[in-house]
Amino acid sequence: MAKTKKQPRPKAQTPKGFRDYFGTEVTERAEMLSTIAGVYHRYGFDALESSAVETVEALGKFLPDVDRPNEGVFAWQETDDEGKGGDWLALRYDLTAPLARVYAQHRNDLPTPYRRYAMGPVWRNEKPGPGRFRQFYQCDADTVGSASMAADAEICAMLADTLEAVGIARGDYVVRVNNRKVLNGVLEAAAPLTEFPEGDDLRQSVKAAWDQVTRDAVLRTIDKFDKVGEDGVRELLGKGRLDASGAYIDGVGLTDGQAEPVLAFLTSKADDAADTLANLRAAVGESATGLEGVAELEQIAGLLAAQGYGPDRIVIDPSVVRGLGYYTGPVFEAELTFEILDEKGRKRQFGSVAGGGRYDDLVKRFTGQAVPATGVSIGVDRLLAALREKGRIGGTVEGPVVVTVMDRDRMAEYQAMVGELRQAGIRAEVYLGNPKNFGNQMKYADRRGSPVAVIAGSEEFAAGKVQLKDLILGAKIAENATLEEWKERPSQFEVDRADLVTEVRKILDGQGG
């Protein structure tokens, strides 16, 4: 008889690209999300919690293919009762695509405009890297059903208020605003169409070729403006340039005349919003699309100024080119401007923690009718990292008061103690391990970050007393407290059992002993 092969034990490890979060991290995130939700709620947005799973058809961005179905998302195909293939389902990759489906499905029951915020994990089946995980949190707020630029201005103002509410000081951030229509106008101004009359078939062919071949290359070059500057972009828009390593990078191939509107656009930012807008008008030339985008930015700037949001918080900035394939109008990005040290010890700015914009075509996929929408998404993990860099969070979180067990037969009395502490709003627990070794109980309290240990044996119960060990002071004494400080406030002392809650509260308030 063949010997049964022993089943190997599963490996205790997280899947590649995922991680576990423990006590302090979870608490810090929950507190930050609560603060953000408070700002969103104050602005009149309602909470929405949609399904973590959507059909691939509803997500819209990723479709099945032969080699790897639904690349970019975590997806699977349902089967019916007969084992035949059914719908493709996937974990959501953001919170905006589910919103479009929710609004299209429930629009008859929702107010218009519909203002919602949502918070939760999203999943992307992408190659993981340092600090880049396949599951991460997003925190979104969107207005669906309003074409007014007041909705976009409101999102920008709310984003600024949110950053300050969670602990990012004014001067450490800036919300930058641009408009996709402006950049579209710049590209139209740069396209080689002037020699062809309006409506000419050849003009349309040239425009199509420009859109397909050149547009993406120009956008990628614009995105390098912060790294290579005006001269570098000029070279990359033209024949090309040598990079720092000496390698030659081929350029887009624009003429000087075609590159000029792009460079004028990139260098149009001025100290005053009115000057920036004037420069943008010049950059887009006679493009109707571009002029419409500039007019929208002018409206947003005026609405923000009326509310007191100056350039120290929100600025018109043409360098914002994020998500241009997704957005249809204004786009915005929150950038943290303080410096940090990278892995090589070099100074650099922290960078972007949030972004968004207007996306008027997303709901149309379901309804066939254009539905205007605008919103913002905050990268929760990056914002938490920023707060840790600034020292706003990341300290030790105080653990529970630990009621030690000297006599396991008196467990009901120990539970009564911890019950009184909890009812008084004090975080507390009874030691539930083996009480035989008291030293292990104190090690447990130390590992839990406990501020106080409650100690009571038969003598204390008989006398109606309890011992309180001030673990906060005990740690300080172990470090550097003087003898006089130790005498003034001993780290362990006896109190009446009836005064347990009062005396523990004194220790927590720094007045015990």
Side-chain angles (χ1 to χ4, degrees):
M1 182 176 179
K3 187 176 180 180
T4 304
K5 187 176 181 180
K6 188 176 181 180
Q7 188 74 16
R9 292 190 181 95
K11 292 182 179 180
Q13 62 183 30
T14 54
K16 185 177 180 181
F18 293 84
R19 58 160 298 192
D20 301 311
Y21 297 85
F22 294 91
T24 301
E25 295 174 301
V26 176
T27 300
E28 290 172 347
R29 181 175 64 205
E31 290 176 352
M32 189 185 78
L33 291 177
S34 177
T35 300
I36 295 173
V39 177
Y40 289 175
H41 187 74
R42 189 166 74 242
Y43 269 74
F45 287 76
D46 289 333
L48 171 67
E49 185 173 312
S50 61
S51 169
V53 176
E54 297 280 348
T55 66
V56 168
E57 183 182 25
L59 287 176
K61 187 176 180 182
F62 302 94
L63 298 173
D65 60 42
V66 176
D67 298 324
R68 187 183 175 198
N70 311 304
E71 184 174 1
V73 295
F74 290 96
W76 62 96
Q77 189 175 24
E78 291 227 290
T79 55
D80 58 24
D81 294 338
E82 298 177 359
K84 296 180 180 179
D87 290 337
W88 276 94
L89 305 179
L91 291 172
R92 64 190 181 201
Y93 60 81
D94 71 3
L95 298 175
T96 309
L99 170 63
R101 188 269 304 162
V102 167
Y103 183 80
Q105 181 177 349
H106 301 284
R107 62 189 182 280
N108 293 332
D109 301 318
L110 294 173
T112 299
Y114 175 51
R115 300 151 65 84
R116 84 88 172 89
Y117 69 88
M119 304 174 178
V122 297
W123 296 266
R124 295 185 185 177
N125 190 3
E126 299 172 337
K127 184 178 180 180
R132 184 183 180 89
F133 297 98
R134 289 170 164 171
Q135 175 181 318
F136 52 95
Y137 263 73
Q138 286 188 337
C139 181
D140 288 18
D142 297 79
T143 298
V144 182
S146 173
S148 171
M149 291 298 105
D152 301 86
E154 180 182 63
I155 290 288
C156 294
M158 186 171 68
L159 180 54
D161 287 351
T162 298
L163 293 174
E164 293 185 19
V166 300
I168 302 297
R170 199 170 300 187
D172 280 340
Y173 77 90
V174 63
V175 177
R176 306 183 188 278
V177 187
N178 194 11
N179 195 310
R180 180 186 176 181
K181 294 176 183 177
V182 176
L183 185 51
N184 286 345
V186 169
L187 294 176
E188 287 178 12
L193 305 178
T194 55
E195 57 190 277
F196 304 102
E198 288 286 348
D200 184 85
D201 290 341
L202 187 55
R203 176 187 177 98
Q204 299 306 314
S205 299
V206 171
K207 185 178 185 301
W210 169 272
D211 288 342
Q212 294 170 11
V213 177
T214 313
R215 184 185 183 88
D216 289 344
V218 173
L219 292 177
R220 286 194 297 270
T221 304
I222 288 174
D223 208 26
K224 296 175 183 176
F225 181 68
D226 288 340
K227 295 180 180 178
V228 302
E230 181 180 352
D231 291 340
V233 169
R234 186 186 301 275
E235 292 173 335
L236 289 172
L237 288 174
K239 295 180 179 179
R241 73 189 295 265
L242 292 173
D243 66 11
S245 67
Y248 190 80
I249 303 174
D250 288 334
V252 179
L254 303 188
T255 65
D256 290 344
Q258 290 170 336
E260 199 55 43
V262 179
L263 292 165
F265 165 76
L266 285 172
T267 57
S268 59
K269 186 176 183 297
D271 293 335
D272 182 75
D275 291 339
T276 299
L277 292 168
N279 292 338
L280 287 175
R281 283 193 188 91
V284 300
E286 298 179 0
S287 166
T289 301
L291 291 172
E292 182 180 344
V294 175
E296 290 178 353
L297 287 177
E298 189 171 32
Q299 289 183 56
I300 291 171
L303 291 166
L304 289 170
Q307 299 176 67
Y309 292 88
D312 60 325
R313 305 174 74 184
I314 306 174
V315 298
I316 304 299
D317 189 341
S319 69
V320 179
V321 294
R322 57 171 291 117
L324 290 167
Y326 182 79
Y327 297 112
T328 59
V331 290
F332 19 88
E333 186 170 82
E335 180 181 338
L336 303 188
T337 56
F338 59 83
E339 290 184 335
I340 61 172
L341 298 178
D342 64 15
E343 62 277 2
K344 295 183 179 179
R346 298 170 299 192
K347 289 184 178 180
R348 63 175 181 85
Q349 284 195 342
F350 190 91
S352 174
V353 293
R358 179 163 287 277
Y359 52 97
D360 288 347
D361 295 333
L362 205 57
V363 178
K364 185 178 181 180
R365 294 178 51 249
F366 297 93
T367 63
Q369 299 173 336
V371 178
T374 186
V376 67
S377 180
I378 295 175
V380 173
D381 297 308
R382 277 191 59 77
L383 187 51
L384 282 170
L387 292 171
R388 293 189 187 102
E389 287 283 349
K390 296 297 288 183
R392 307 291 162 80
I393 60 172
T396 56
V397 176
E398 189 172 86
V401 171
V402 173
V403 177
T404 61
V405 177
M406 306 294 289
D407 183 350
R408 68 177 71 204
D409 293 333
R410 293 182 178 269
M411 181 58 75
E413 294 174 79
Y414 294 123
Q415 292 285 3
M417 290 183 194
V418 83
E420 291 173 21
L421 292 168
R422 288 168 179 165
Q423 288 178 24
I426 297 172
R427 190 181 181 208
E429 65 175 79
V430 174
Y431 180 74
L432 298 178
N434 188 342
K436 188 174 182 180
N437 187 323
F438 183 73
N440 286 343
Q441 296 194 54
M442 297 311 298
K443 288 180 181 177
Y444 174 82
D446 180 64
R447 193 167 187 179
R448 293 284 281 133
S450 175
V452 183
V454 179
I455 305 167
S458 56
E459 293 182 7
E460 284 79 14
F461 280 115
K465 305 284 187 180
V466 293
Q467 296 282 336
L468 298 183
K469 189 170 183 63
D470 184 342
L471 299 176
I472 300 172
L473 180 63
K476 292 180 178 178
I477 290 174
E479 289 179 3
N480 54 17
T482 64
L483 179 61
E484 289 73 19
E485 289 174 324
W486 185 85
K487 289 180 178 179
E488 182 181 337
R489 184 181 168 194
S491 63
Q492 183 170 329
F493 52 93
E494 189 175 75
V495 302
D496 289 339
R497 166 67 180 82
D499 295 333
L500 170 64
V501 172
T502 301
E503 296 299 328
V504 167
R505 178 74 71 191
K506 286 181 179 179
I507 294 176
L508 297 178
D509 293 341
Q511 304 167 356

